[in-house]
């Protein structure tokens, strides 16, 4: 497991200390001010990456002392710090990537972070915050397990999702078209233990959500 922590508002973060207690060995990568989120949780980073324009000199010194490898970039660049961190993780490791601190705060950053998922549709990469989990599916058939997040939405990132079929959900459909500018796929629920989705064409953003924070 690879946790990449960006600099989003701390109120949107799941409990980092709790995540670090899991027996599964994890790699932690801090992104700019997200390095301070990791440091404040008492976790050592394998990598700290960014232009560090969001931290003070004192914070930068703390970050340097709490990471194994420091990767510093110029402020003027074509990629966001988070995109650079994803590239780093994919170059060095072959494991599931969880993006934390990627929601809340600046809406432009949040939207760009969500669209970053579509760049790596064949990789296991998700955005997680204290109330939501987001990932991308390409055309095909999938089985989704019921989880602690009861609500699930299927949102077209492409213009449409074609021949969408849902089975095992509160609202099932058969070979319908979902449109990006409409709300047909919003706020469904898996009825039993699993739900099945298939579609023939398009890119689907899956959002699993709860009414209260994840701890």
């Amino acid at each position: 497991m690879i946790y990449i922590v960006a600099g989003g508002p701390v109120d949107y973060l799941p409990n980092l200390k709790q995540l670090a207690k899991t027996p599964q060995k994890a790699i932690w990568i801090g992104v700019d001010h997200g390095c301070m989120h990791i440091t404040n949780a008492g976790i050592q980073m394998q990598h700290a990456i960014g232009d560090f324009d969001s931290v003070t000199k004192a914070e930068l010194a703390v970050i340097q002392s709490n990471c194994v490898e420091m990767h510093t970039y110029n402020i003027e660049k074509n990629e966001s710090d988070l995109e650079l961190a994803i590239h780093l993780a994919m170059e060095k490791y072959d494991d599931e990537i969880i993006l934390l601190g990627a929601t809340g705060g600046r809406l432009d950053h949040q939207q760009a972070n969500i669209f970053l998922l579509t760049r790596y549709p064949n990789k296991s990469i998700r955005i997680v915050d204290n109330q939501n989990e987001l990932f991308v599916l390409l055309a095909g058939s999938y089985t989704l397990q019921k989880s602690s997040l009861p609500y699930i939405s299927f949102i077209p990132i492409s213009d449409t999702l074609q021949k969408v079929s849902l089975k095992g959900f509160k609202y099932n459909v058969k070979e319908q078209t979902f449109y990006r500018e409409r709300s047909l796929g919003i706020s469904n629920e898996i009825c039993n233990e699993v739900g099945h989705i298939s579609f023939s064409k398009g890119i689907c953003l899956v959002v699993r959500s709860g009414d209260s924070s994840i701890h």
Side-chain angles (χ1 to χ4, degrees):
M1 184 76 70
I2 302 166
Y3 291 111
I4 300 178
V5 184
V10 67
D11 290 346
Y12 283 73
L13 288 173
N15 190 319
L16 301 188
K17 291 181 179 180
Q18 196 66 34
L19 291 177
K21 289 180 181 178
T22 58
Q24 185 178 14
K25 185 178 180 181
I27 299 293
W28 289 83
I29 300 176
V31 182
D32 206 279
H33 194 267
C35 297
M36 290 305 301
H37 295 329
I38 299 174
T39 299
N40 291 336
I43 303 166
Q44 186 180 42
M45 292 167 282
Q46 182 66 33
H47 304 277
I49 186 168
D51 53 37
F52 300 102
D53 63 342
S54 299
V55 299
T56 66
K57 289 184 178 180
E59 288 173 332
L60 184 59
V62 171
I63 291 168
Q64 289 173 326
S65 67
N66 191 47
C67 73
V68 177
E69 296 183 34
M70 193 85 174
H71 310 265
T72 305
Y73 289 83
N74 292 326
I75 294 177
E76 295 181 359
K77 56 189 183 301
N78 293 327
E79 303 89 355
S80 69
D81 291 336
L82 181 58
E83 185 173 358
L84 291 170
I86 294 171
H87 291 170
L88 175 71
M90 290 185 173
E91 288 174 2
K92 288 185 171 291
Y93 308 102
D94 183 19
D95 206 345
E96 181 180 11
I97 297 174
I98 307 296
L99 306 180
L100 309 172
T103 59
R106 285 182 54 175
L107 188 57
D108 57 340
H109 283 195
Q110 176 177 289
Q111 193 69 21
N113 295 341
I114 291 171
F115 278 112
L116 275 176
L117 296 178
T118 68
R119 185 170 180 180
Y120 315 100
N122 297 314
K123 299 290 186 178
S124 182
I125 179 169
R126 293 180 287 152
I127 291 176
V128 174
D129 65 21
N130 66 347
Q131 196 170 338
N132 306 279
E133 175 187 337
L134 299 83
F135 55 94
V136 164
L137 297 177
L138 298 179
S141 299
Y142 303 89
T143 298
L144 301 176
Q145 301 288 329
K146 196 169 188 175
S147 78
S148 59
L149 301 172
Y151 306 111
I152 186 166
S153 297
F154 302 104
I155 303 171
I157 290 183
S158 51
D159 290 340
T160 62
L161 300 178
Q162 297 184 15
K163 293 187 177 181
V164 180
S165 293
L166 299 174
K167 295 181 181 179
F169 291 86
K170 184 176 181 179
Y171 307 107
N172 290 323
V173 299
K174 184 176 181 180
E175 294 193 348
Q176 288 199 25
T177 300
F178 285 13
Y179 296 89
R180 185 170 54 197
E181 66 273 18
R182 300 179 187 174
S183 57
L184 178 60
I186 298 295
S187 199
N188 211 330
E189 298 176 50
I190 297 175
C191 289
N192 297 309
E193 292 305 311
V194 298
H196 305 277
I197 177 175
S198 64
F199 57 102
S200 65
K201 187 177 181 180
I203 303 173
C204 180
L205 176 67
V206 181
V207 182
R208 308 191 76 155
S209 302
D211 285 329
S212 59
S213 298
I214 305 167
H215 295 290

